[in-house]
Amino acid sequence: MEIQRPRGTRDFLFKEMKERKSVETTMRRIFETYGYSEIKTPIFEELSLFTTKSGEGIKDQIYHFQDKGGRDLALRPELTAPVARMYIKELQKTPKPVKMYYFGSCFRYERPQKGRWRQFWQFGCELIGGKSPGSEAEVISMAAHCLEELGLKNFDIHIGNLGILRNILIDANILGKLQDQVMGIIDKGDIEELEKLLQDIDLDSDSKELLMKLIVMKGDSSIIKDVESLINCNEHACNALSELEKLLESLKAFGFSNYVVNLGIARGLDYYTGTVFEIYVHGLGAQKQISGGGTYNLIELFGGENVESTGFAFGFDRVMDALNKQEKSIEIERSVKVFVAPIKNDLKLKAFDIAQKLRKNGIPTDVDLVGKKLKKILSFADSMGINYVVLVGARDIEEGNVTVKDMTSGEQEIIDLEDIIDTLKSKLMI
Ligand code: HAM
């Protein structure tokens, strides 16, 4: 009986894991440069953490189960709600702002396709207790910095403010769950479905026209003036627009101006309150959104203090897809640099002894465990990109030596066993 991998999951083999590790290391380095520290939360949480305020879209996708004690639990579909829960319990007294980052897998019961998985990874951050618009500008600049550092090209950062659309809907008396439903359809980008819903709920024609115009407004900062003239009779929407304007000013100070103002961003999660942003990469097809985030108020909703919070998460798998699609070569470190090869089987114990000495002195080393012929060992070492093969031969050992073969030049050198560690360390610059 062949047991299949669950639908929407993947196995990652050696090269792919090394590439993922390399990208993860770069992301960590950049996030830490901005003062973020890593945290970890459980992979499963109480179901209600995600059903309270994450939105209908997410609820349908939750992997939900009961444990043996009858508790309703869920595999996390994202990490903002868990971080908000943790913040309330553990960090409310910590000096603000609290800057946290995380890397972990998330689970959503989606229809799997390229770039859309049932288990996927998010690399993200939450900045709690900062002040807008500075915090938002810093977070967006960090996202851009990270992608630049990874060498990703052709990405667009779209920035909007949910307060504009939501206040237009409030003005038209579209509130609560219905408002979230409208926002959810705008997020999906399904204009037909949106028109049908607006017709069903009998939205007045002026509000409908305004909404339909706003959601397609995209451009540089100059569109702010056009939006202003469209919404000027709605005070709250105008306040949201001026928040957006201030954010763009702060972004300029952070040296980032390569954004698209996009009033159609609605986000699929219901907890956002103001600034929102999404990053798209050309050429990734339907799953081109590699990141999303914004400002939210989950902490107060979960019973904590009223504190400004903002954050975002990279869809790590989509970042990997984008780098691969752009054929960006990802630097991977070959871990093993030395291979110890006994020339005859009766020298294998001596080879084990030498290999272990090298390892204990910090030299990544492999040793022949299966009695391969020397020719096979050399071609294996070559294919694995190993730098040096230590040949353990009877005559050399009698004289207290080994032979070191440089796999790049092909040259061989006899080295005193006493000096092997220092010699290899200096050759490998360890
Ligand atoms: P999200 O937009 O739902 O936001 O997810 C963040 C990113 O995860 C998406 O932009 C996408 O790249 C990736 N993603 C989502 N679903 C899948 C999937 N099924 N397969 C592969 N990748 C996927 C959040 O989750 C928020 N918690 C982000 C945030 C942090 N907001 C504030 N702080």
Side-chain angles (χ1 to χ4, degrees), residues 78 80 108 110 115 117 122 126 267 271-272 289 311-312:
E78 57 105 38
T80 307
R108 295 186 191 176
E110 308 214 55
W117 304 99
Q122 284 192 349
E126 310 299 338
R267 305 289 295 129
Y271 49 63
Y272 295 101
Q289 193 200 119
F312 75 95

Side-chain angles (χ1 to χ4, degrees), residues 10 58 61 77-81 102 106-108 110 113 115-122 124-126 267-269 271-272 278-279 287-296 309-319:
R10 285 153 296 165
I58 280 283
Q61 297 174 339
E78 57 105 38
L79 280 112
T80 307
Y102 48 78
C106 299
F107 304 83
R108 295 186 191 176
E110 308 214 55
Q113 54 177 270
R116 195 202 277 167
W117 304 99
R118 290 185 171 169
Q119 181 187 13
F120 61 98
W121 275 257
Q122 284 192 349
C125 68
E126 310 299 338
R267 305 289 295 129
L269 296 152
Y271 49 63
Y272 295 101
E278 293 182 343
I279 309 180
Q287 311 310 321
K288 64 179 181 180
Q289 193 200 119
I290 60 159
S291 178
T295 289
Y296 57 89
S309 331
T310 189
F312 75 95
F314 284 121
F316 188 81
D317 311 84
R318 293 190 189 167
V319 172

Side-chain angles (χ1 to χ4, degrees), residues 374-401:
L374 186 60
K375 213 170 139 201
K376 279 238 163 95
I377 290 181
L378 292 176
S379 79
F380 172 76
D382 198 34
S383 71
M384 297 303 286
I386 278 165
N387 307 62
Y388 298 99
V389 174
V390 176
L391 303 163
V392 183
R395 186 171 319 147
D396 275 351
I397 291 294
E398 262 168 40
E399 291 167 8
N401 297 326

Side-chain angles (χ1 to χ4, degrees), residues 237-368:
C238 280
N239 290 344
L241 186 67
S242 96
E243 274 179 19
L244 178 57
E245 221 173 346
K246 286 195 194 116
L247 168 61
L248 302 186
E249 262 171 39
S250 293
L251 275 173
K252 203 168 171 196
F254 276 99
F256 181 69
S257 53
N258 198 12
Y259 50 75
V260 177
V261 177
N262 181 344
L263 275 286
I265 301 181
R267 305 289 295 129
L269 296 152
D270 288 350
Y271 49 63
Y272 295 101
T273 50
T275 294
V276 280
F277 68 98
E278 293 182 343
I279 309 180
Y280 311 116
V281 177
H282 301 287
L284 279 193
Q287 311 310 321
K288 64 179 181 180
Q289 193 200 119
I290 60 159
S291 178
T295 289
Y296 57 89
N297 71 347
L298 267 183
I299 290 163
E300 200 185 2
L301 283 168
F302 288 163
E305 58 196 342
N306 176 356
V307 62
E308 284 188 45
S309 331
T310 189
F312 75 95
F314 284 121
F316 188 81
D317 311 84
R318 293 190 189 167
V319 172
M320 294 305 302
D321 284 349
L323 290 168
N324 285 329
K325 185 106 195 166
Q326 293 182 9
E327 291 174 9
K328 170 89 196 99
S329 71
I330 300 167
E331 249 181 64
I332 55 173
E333 252 226 59
R334 299 229 168 250
S335 36
V336 172
K337 313 223 182 269
V338 173
F339 198 101
V340 182
I343 293 187
K344 285 228 171 83
N345 205 29
D346 57 3
L347 286 163
K348 74 176 182 214
L349 297 182
K350 187 68 196 164
F352 295 166
D353 175 50
I354 295 170
Q356 205 60 358
K357 282 204 177 80
L358 298 181
R359 290 165 173 163
K360 293 214 163 157
N361 281 279
I363 302 170
T365 302
D366 205 350
V367 62
D368 178 49

Side-chain angles (χ1 to χ4, degrees), residues 193-242:
E193 196 183 339
L194 180 63
E195 280 187 330
K196 187 173 174 307
L197 179 69
L198 296 182
Q199 198 162 347
D200 289 350
I201 59 183
D202 215 11
L203 183 68
D204 68 275
S205 61
D206 285 353
S207 305
K208 184 177 165 195
E209 197 187 328
L210 177 58
L211 197 68
M212 297 313 272
K213 271 191 187 154
L214 283 174
I215 61 172
V216 292
M217 289 199 82
K218 281 184 210 152
D220 59 23
S221 56
S222 67
I223 70 160
I224 298 267
K225 287 273 161 293
D226 307 331
V227 179
E228 202 174 350
S229 60
L230 273 177
I231 62 168
N232 67 0
C233 51
N234 185 316
E235 189 193 331
H236 295 296
C238 280
N239 290 344
L241 186 67
S242 96

